[in-house]
Amino acid sequence: MSSVARQPVAEGFDVERLRGDFPLLTRRVHDHPLVYLDNAATTQKPETVLRTLDDYYRNTNSNVHRGVHYLSELASAAYEQAREQLCALVNAASEREILFLRGTTEAINLVAGSYGGACLRPGDEVLITEMEHHANIVPWQLLRDRCGIRLRWVPINEHGDLIWEEYERFLEGPVRLVALTHLSNSLGTINPLRRVIQTAHAHGAVVLVDGAQAVPHLPVDVRALDCDFYAFSGHKMFGPTGIGVLYGRESLLEKMPPWQGGGDMIKAVSMEQTTFNDLPAKFEAGTPHIAGAIGLGRSAEFLAGLDRAAVLLHEQQLLESALAACKEIPGLRVIGEPHARGGLFSFVLEGVHAHDLGTFLDHRGIAVRTGHHCCMPVMRHFKIPATTRVSFALYNTLEEVQILARALLEAQRFFH
Amino acid sequence: MDLESLYQEVVIDHNRHPRNFGRLEPADRSAEGHNPLCGDDLLLTLRLERERISEMRFEGQGCAISTASASLMSEAVQGLELRAACTLLERFLKRVTDPAAEASPELGKLEALAGVRKFPGRVKCATLCWHTLKAALNGGERNVSTE
Ligand SMILES: Cc1ncc(COP(=O)(O)O)c(C=O)c1O
């Protein structure tokens, strides 16, 4: 990754113009211009998404798939168009493979509950990794306690990469499902997904990818990856909160039982039994987050309209420049040094606890995340109680990196 | 809401040079405190002499606020009768959590921590050691968590 960052930014990538699309970025915090470096927690929203949400509630608001009246038809069409936009974004084979859910967490819970409950037997093994977010740990622990599957962890090395030999060794067991993150939210590690998936398939295991951190940064092609499930959240990709997507391979979704029951997921209900609806409605019980889905469709379109290679280059430049600046700060230790890293990193600063640093930076207008980042196993691995995390998005600038670097030095003086 | 109101000189000083850091062995009372969100861990050990806290030590890791709070607390409660320690404890907790609570001279140096009231995300850092002290004095539940 490091070699690409030295190349000049591609023609046509104008970060200042892009920033102009994000109204929140102009606000001040504690009397300083906002420097928003907490994008792995959630991203800011472009004007086009904000306007879409507003316009939906002002002009189209109605329930979907339920009425024959004009507004309901408009809303249903917009909702299904959003599904097409998401389908295109990740290159799924069909809209039937795109389920609108609350987010990554709900998507993983759906797979654990529905696929796990129906297709896994006591003694079957589920493989996760030491770098997972709690959202990709706890649902499997719950499944283990309910169904008697065995949960195993692929360890990471001191760079923050998966230990490949261990992965292959684990696959010799009765592994039926592998669940892992595309891009780690605490270390920044980008996992070698294609190889992971190929190897899992060769051993007869299906693969769920937690794509929460990847979608806003990397072009994702679920068919090229050949993954079985891919989960992501709207709010981390410049879309609304409360909406996200589970991509699922159609043949698997077909054989999975519904996860929640209610309206919209049925064809017919009698007092004795229910005939379930077809995909994707089978997995979308109840009135969905219609506005959210439509807003998310718009953020997918926003992403698709960008030169993704240029965005990636820009984010890699931010990362390189931040890591270089960090090297100049005595007592600063970046956690992990993965083979390939997305635009985020965690660090500890000698003599300044992460929490104090977070408060200090906040008073310079700089938003970062401090704590365990919902990755307590990672923290345990590196034997640190808490870190500070800097995570970039396409609208961050090299100037912001410099502001951060200066503030880190000031913080060191302040607490010493 | 400036940074200096949170990190007063006294706080910075007690963070840099924590007083009564360590562990009493044997101890008459002890309790552990955890703040899983920040990864803070704290162990309090106490010796009692005729209804009085004769000695207190703390160890563990935490941010400047939680370290300074434990350090200042150890200075404040050593030598106090148990009843007086409980009164101080309640007064301190009220001061840092209740917006209507006013400064009181009885808090002494502990008043330096009152700034956390304006930082909702940081109140738990200041109160962890006090809740842990409560647990130690009650002798009942010995493991305190902020979550
Ligand atoms: C890697 C990863 N997985 C899962 C999640 C959970 O996403 P959400 O809270 O949107 O469901 C997050 C974000 O917090 C994440 O970073």
Side-chain angles (χ1 to χ4, degrees):
Chain A
M1 291 253 104
S2 49
S3 56
V4 280
R6 296 275 167 251
Q7 294 164 20
V9 164
E11 290 277 320
F13 186 80
D14 180 348
V15 68
E16 285 310 324
R17 213 190 64 216
L18 250 182
R19 288 179 72 81
D21 285 341
F22 291 79
L24 190 140
L25 295 180
T26 60
R27 72 160 292 167
R28 295 174 71 84
V29 168
H30 296 310
D31 245 355
H32 290 269
L34 169 67
V35 175
Y36 189 75
L37 299 176
D38 194 18
N39 293 286
T42 200
T43 51
Q44 301 306 336
K45 319 304 173 198
E47 193 72 63
T48 170
V49 170
L50 298 175
R51 248 190 262 125
T52 300
L53 291 172
D54 185 65
D55 176 67
Y56 169 76
Y57 281 122
R58 271 177 210 285
N59 298 312
T60 315
N61 180 46
S62 192
N63 211 327
V64 290
H65 307 314
R66 290 189 183 177
V68 293
H69 62 79
Y70 180 68
L71 286 183
S72 176
E73 280 171 2
L74 277 187
S76 304
Y79 184 68
E80 291 309 322
Q81 190 199 352
R83 203 188 300 279
E84 288 165 24
Q85 288 163 323
L86 271 303
C87 179
L89 184 76
V90 297
N91 195 32
S94 141
E95 286 86 42
R96 289 187 299 279
E97 301 183 316
I98 300 293
L99 311 181
F100 281 128
L101 301 167
R102 262 197 314 136
T104 308
T105 303
E106 190 171 64
I108 297 173
N109 275 281
L110 185 152
V111 176
S114 170
Y115 184 85
C119 305
L120 300 181
R121 300 274 161 270
D124 284 353
E125 292 183 358
V126 168
L127 217 53
I128 60 176
T129 84
E130 210 180 348
M131 71 173 88
E132 298 310 311
H133 187 279
H134 295 163
N136 200 22
I137 300 174
V138 185
W140 306 111
Q141 290 175 330
L142 293 173
L143 179 69
R144 174 195 63 197
D145 298 344
R146 209 168 54 238
C147 301
I149 57 131
R150 188 157 175 225
L151 184 59
R152 311 200 73 183
W153 300 70
V154 184
I156 56 178
N157 60 22
E158 74 281 9
H159 299 300
D161 283 315
L162 289 182
I163 303 179
W164 186 262
E165 297 70 33
E166 293 284 324
Y167 175 57
E168 286 191 314
R169 202 172 57 78
F170 275 117
L171 282 174
E172 298 301 328
V175 176
R176 296 285 168 264
L177 188 144
V178 176
L180 85 164
T181 189
H182 193 165
L183 199 168
S184 153
N185 66 303
S186 56
L187 299 164
T189 312
I190 299 174
N191 280 315
L193 273 194
R194 262 204 241 210
R195 215 170 137 221
V196 166
I197 294 165
Q198 260 174 14
T199 316
H201 285 169
H203 286 81
V206 301
V207 180
L208 173 142
V209 179
D210 172 350
Q213 294 299 340
V215 174
H217 305 288
L218 310 171
V220 172
D221 181 333
V222 291
R223 276 189 282 173
L225 287 173
D226 199 27
C227 59
D228 302 287
F229 300 102
Y230 195 99
F232 55 104
S233 297
H235 68 98
K236 294 189 199 280
M237 52 177 282
F238 317 108
T241 54
I243 187 78
V245 169
L246 175 66
Y247 158 81
R249 197 188 286 282
E250 187 167 352
S251 56
L252 293 177
L253 293 179
E254 281 294 354
K255 70 173 189 188
M256 285 159 55
W259 183 54
Q260 292 179 334
D264 286 338
M265 52 76 72
I266 50 89
K267 272 185 179 152
V269 177
S270 72
M271 291 174 87
E272 290 76 34
Q273 66 165 32
T274 293
T275 314
F276 300 126
N277 211 334
D278 299 326
L279 291 173
K282 180 170 101 176
F283 289 105
E284 293 181 2
T287 299
H289 185 3
I290 306 166
I294 295 170
L296 179 56
R298 187 49 62 96
S299 72
E301 204 178 72
F302 168 79
L303 275 174
L306 298 169
D307 178 346
R308 299 297 300 272
V311 167
L312 193 59
L313 217 60
H314 173 65
E315 290 178 354
Q316 286 290 316
Q317 262 190 341
L318 295 171
L319 181 67
E320 292 277 312
S321 131
L323 290 174
C326 283
K327 280 218 176 75
E328 304 297 314
I329 298 173
L332 189 150
R333 176 161 72 100
V334 172
I335 309 302
E337 199 182 350
H339 244 84
R341 193 201 283 271
L344 69 89
F345 64 99
S346 296
F347 64 92
V348 288
L349 187 58
E350 208 178 277
V352 188
H353 189 278
H355 233 129
D356 297 313
L357 185 58
T359 298
F360 183 91
L361 294 178
D362 179 49
H363 278 253
R364 297 282 183 283
I366 304 170
V368 293
R369 171 83 191 263
T370 58
H372 56 58
H373 320 297
C374 296
C375 287
M376 290 172 100
V378 172
M379 299 290 131
R380 202 185 49 210
H381 180 96
F382 288 98
K383 299 188 176 59
I384 35 180
T387 73
T388 304
R389 179 186 67 193
V390 170
S391 55
F392 297 111
L394 40 81
Y395 41 61
N396 289 122
T397 66
L398 288 167
E399 190 195 342
E400 289 178 313
V401 171
Q402 295 314 313
I403 295 173
L404 170 72
R406 277 197 300 276
L408 290 175
L409 286 168
E410 281 176 45
Q412 245 179 356
R413 278 197 296 276
F414 184 86
F415 288 101
H416 267 244
Chain B
M1 205 176 65
D2 59 327
L3 216 48
E4 282 69 24
S5 74
L6 180 65
Y7 296 109
Q8 297 192 14
E9 263 319 304
V10 184
V11 172
I12 296 281
D13 174 51
H14 276 254
N15 176 48
R16 253 184 242 149
H17 312 289
R19 324 292 201 266
N20 301 307
F21 193 84
R23 179 193 297 217
L24 295 167
E25 277 176 319
D28 297 315
R29 297 284 173 84
S30 70
E32 284 178 42
H34 302 283
N35 183 340
L37 269 185
C38 336
D40 287 3
D41 284 317
L42 176 75
L43 172 72
L44 286 189
T45 46
L46 283 81
R47 284 202 187 124
L48 307 180
E49 241 168 65
R50 275 188 261 122
E51 296 300 297
R52 222 175 252 286
I53 299 175
S54 57
E55 268 185 287
M56 190 200 116
R57 296 280 183 280
F58 78 97
E59 66 178 16
Q61 53 187 346
C63 63
I65 303 296
S66 87
T67 303
S69 186
S71 174
L72 285 162
M73 178 180 87
S74 70
E75 284 193 332
V77 300
Q78 285 193 122
L80 281 191
E81 280 188 11
L82 294 184
R83 286 250 309 279
C86 288
T87 310
L88 183 67
L89 190 153
E90 295 305 333
R91 187 169 278 137
F92 178 81
L93 291 179
K94 194 168 158 62
R95 176 72 177 127
V96 296
T97 54
D98 179 355
E102 296 194 356
S104 75
E106 287 92 342
L107 284 176
K109 271 204 231 168
L110 295 170
E111 182 59 28
L113 289 161
V116 294
R117 302 191 311 159
K118 303 211 186 80
F119 295 75
R122 305 301 305 274
V123 171
K124 283 176 187 167
C125 308
T127 57
L128 176 66
C129 63
W130 292 88
H131 288 297
T132 310
L133 175 64
K134 202 177 197 170
L137 293 180
N138 289 340
E141 192 198 335
R142 299 289 178 80
N143 218 319
V144 177
S145 174
T146 55
E147 299 308 305

